[in-house]
Amino acid sequence: MTIAETSPSRTINIESLSFTSGAHLLLKRALRDLPVGGRLGVIGSAPDFAVHLRGWCREQGHEFVEGDGQFVAWIVRGAASQGRWRRAERAGLSEARENGAVVECPPADWGFAARGAVIEAGGPAFHYPIQTKERVWAENVTKLYAQAVAAQWNPQTAINWDEPFAPDEEVERAVAQVMTYLIENENAALQAPARFIAQIHPHFREVLQLLAVQIADEARHVEVFTRRATLRGEEMGLSTVSGRQSLKTLLDEPDFALASFLLSVLGEGTFLNLLWFLERHAPDPVTRQIAGLVAQDEARHVAFGLGHLQYQTASDPALRERLATAITRRHDELSQTAGLNEEVYDALILLAAGSWRPEDIAAGYARAQTLKDEMHSGRKARLEKLGFSGAEAADLSALHTRNFM
Ligand SMILES: [Fe+2]
Ligand SMILES: [Fe+2]
């Protein structure tokens, strides 16, 4: 193939290449840099090439001029192929310039287009209720996503399910009760963020990617807690009305910021203390190992919730008041409920005691009390990170659901 420059015309010899073998690629490439009205002389020897070239020119909006001498034809470049992209815009900067790529308020009709793509004007209307960077972004989102992907673990191989231990039958039942409670919380943690994924503009892809992995994390948590509950043939324990009432308020919260706050900052934050407690005090190595792995995941979920709300409160300080109101409202909504069921709390004590000996029970009881204190100070610290004063944080933490999550 040769292209000769005889401005404003050029010529191309595509030899015996036909339209059924990709001739259009070479023609398009040769026409690309010609101005509208510029001429391209085409030399080619494929059978019936002139007939096919004429059809192609009609389809592409170029003029076909009968050739002379060595030329099969002259193509006069038309304007149609340019017009289609005349009002196209780029969806943020190109990915090669990642730092500046995310725009504050991407138009909804960019839809699923890759960030950085050139977007043809028009097309279907998309509806994204969560459409601004302020409402979803976190400075740490890219780093958290990379960490989340690197830290995925396989429940089958990451946990030593066969590690021997000889459980006391009642302690084992307490473990099954705690697992039953954890699974219920995990189901809430899986579905509450899932509600928002399709509401967030795909331009903020790191947020979607991170939430998708977070949901996959919760799926694994449901699996491992289920396997542990029934590992030694125990039945699942109890699920209470008050537990379900508390968790349902998380699923019912329609505002992304408030839902992240109640679920990730307060709920999963409190849950983190519970997991660390299980990692330290569970009576068997399998439960301790599970709790440790799950806690690593939950720490990321909390970090994103915090990071995102820090980002949003930086530009919208009034959000803080709405967060405080959300805690109070949820507290009032749940005030007539029993809070954490006694069986779960007693199971935690017995699990941390490891036996029915009175001195062990005393130790288990003290550990469970310490857990409550740690949960409170953890919540307080996280609230302070969002800009609440020490006194406000203490008051708000005290209003958090007694169900822990
Ligand atoms: Fe989880
Ligand atoms: Fe979580």
Side-chain angles (χ1 to χ4, degrees):
M1 179 202 77
T2 55
I3 297 178
E5 203 69 55
T6 52
S7 183
S9 311
R10 24 169 48 189
T11 64
I12 182 171
N13 183 350
I14 62 167
E15 298 164 9
S16 61
L17 194 66
S18 70
F19 277 95
T20 55
S21 303
H24 70 286
L25 264 84
L26 292 180
L27 294 172
K28 272 188 172 174
R29 178 167 175 251
L31 284 164
R32 198 169 52 202
D33 300 328
L34 271 182
V36 172
R39 287 156 60 90
L40 177 69
V42 184
I43 303 169
S45 59
D48 298 326
F49 186 65
V51 177
H52 295 141
L53 182 59
R54 185 189 289 274
W56 183 80
C57 285
R58 193 182 318 114
E59 194 184 289
Q60 298 287 314
H62 303 302
E63 191 185 340
F64 176 95
V65 178
E66 208 71 56
D68 45 27
Q70 59 173 332
F71 295 105
V72 174
W74 287 90
I75 301 176
V76 183
R77 181 172 182 170
S81 62
Q82 271 187 334
R84 184 171 167 205
W85 296 100
R86 192 168 294 136
R87 289 183 299 118
E89 59 180 331
R90 201 172 272 287
L93 299 177
S94 83
E95 286 294 293
R97 288 179 284 163
E98 185 65 46
N99 289 337
V102 182
V103 305
E104 294 295 327
C105 186
D109 63 7
W110 285 2
F112 299 143
R115 192 164 73 219
V118 177
I119 297 182
E120 184 181 2
F126 285 77
H127 175 63
Y128 290 114
I130 306 172
Q131 204 177 339
T132 59
K133 186 177 180 187
E134 185 199 38
R135 291 190 58 200
V136 292
W137 201 251
E139 295 292 1
N140 56 1
V141 66
T142 306
K143 200 180 83 195
L144 284 175
Y145 174 66
Q147 283 174 359
V149 170
Q152 294 296 296
W153 43 274
N154 178 350
Q156 182 61 32
T157 52
I159 292 155
N160 191 359
W161 297 103
D162 298 329
E163 183 135 8
F165 64 95
D168 172 284
E169 197 182 315
E170 286 177 89
V171 173
E172 182 63 13
R173 199 168 309 142
V175 171
Q177 175 59 69
V178 171
M179 295 298 132
T180 307
Y181 161 82
L182 294 175
I183 293 162
E184 196 159 335
N185 285 268
E186 294 292 353
N187 283 332
L190 189 156
Q191 291 204 314
R195 282 190 63 195
F196 294 103
I197 284 198
Q199 297 184 25
I200 297 173
H201 198 304
H203 183 76
F204 306 112
R205 64 175 172 78
E206 293 87 344
V207 175
L208 293 185
Q209 289 163 218
L210 183 62
L211 287 177
V213 177
Q214 180 168 326
I215 288 164
D217 289 342
E218 309 301 13
R220 274 184 291 108
H221 301 170
V222 171
E223 177 189 339
V224 293
F225 291 142
T226 301
R227 285 179 73 163
R228 176 60 194 94
T230 53
L231 186 65
R232 295 299 173 101
E234 275 299 324
E235 300 282 359
M236 287 287 176
L238 309 167
S239 161
T240 61
V241 168
S242 56
R244 294 198 300 277
Q245 279 172 327
S246 178
L247 294 172
K248 185 170 180 294
T249 59
L250 298 175
L251 190 65
D252 289 345
E253 176 52 64
D255 182 284
F256 182 59
L258 302 186
S260 309
F261 178 61
L262 295 175
L263 172 72
S264 296
V265 177
L266 296 174
E268 290 174 311
T270 304
F271 206 66
L272 203 46
N273 288 103
L274 177 57
L275 292 165
W276 288 331
F277 170 90
L278 294 173
E279 190 182 11
R280 268 198 311 268
H281 301 306
D284 63 90
V286 179
T287 306
R288 290 195 294 270
Q289 197 186 9
I290 291 173
L293 281 168
V294 172
Q296 286 173 20
D297 295 338
E298 293 302 338
R300 281 196 312 274
H301 307 173
V302 176
F304 175 64
L306 267 178
H308 149 57
L309 291 169
Q310 281 168 334
Y311 189 87
Q312 192 169 348
T313 47
S315 56
D316 175 17
L319 172 63
R320 224 169 269 126
E321 213 159 297
R322 288 171 53 223
L323 299 178
T325 307
I327 300 187
T328 315
R329 199 178 53 222
R330 185 172 184 221
H331 173 263
D332 294 347
E333 211 171 313
L334 297 173
S335 63
Q336 300 306 316
T337 69
L340 184 71
N341 83 62
E342 214 173 286
E343 283 76 8
V344 174
Y345 194 65
D346 289 351
L348 279 176
I349 295 171
L350 179 56
L351 175 154
S355 93
W356 283 104
R357 287 208 313 244
E359 62 269 35
D360 288 342
I361 293 292
Y365 187 88
R367 286 166 178 168
Q369 287 296 315
T370 306
L371 169 63
K372 281 189 178 176
D373 296 339
E374 287 167 353
M375 287 171 161
H376 176 64
S377 42
R379 279 195 300 270
K380 196 169 155 285
R382 286 183 279 271
L383 286 162
E384 287 176 24
K385 279 187 184 165
L386 291 179
F388 291 101
S389 72
E392 286 169 332
D395 288 349
L396 290 172
S397 168
L399 294 177
H400 181 64
T401 173
R402 286 167 294 172
N403 185 57
F404 297 162
M405 199 166 105

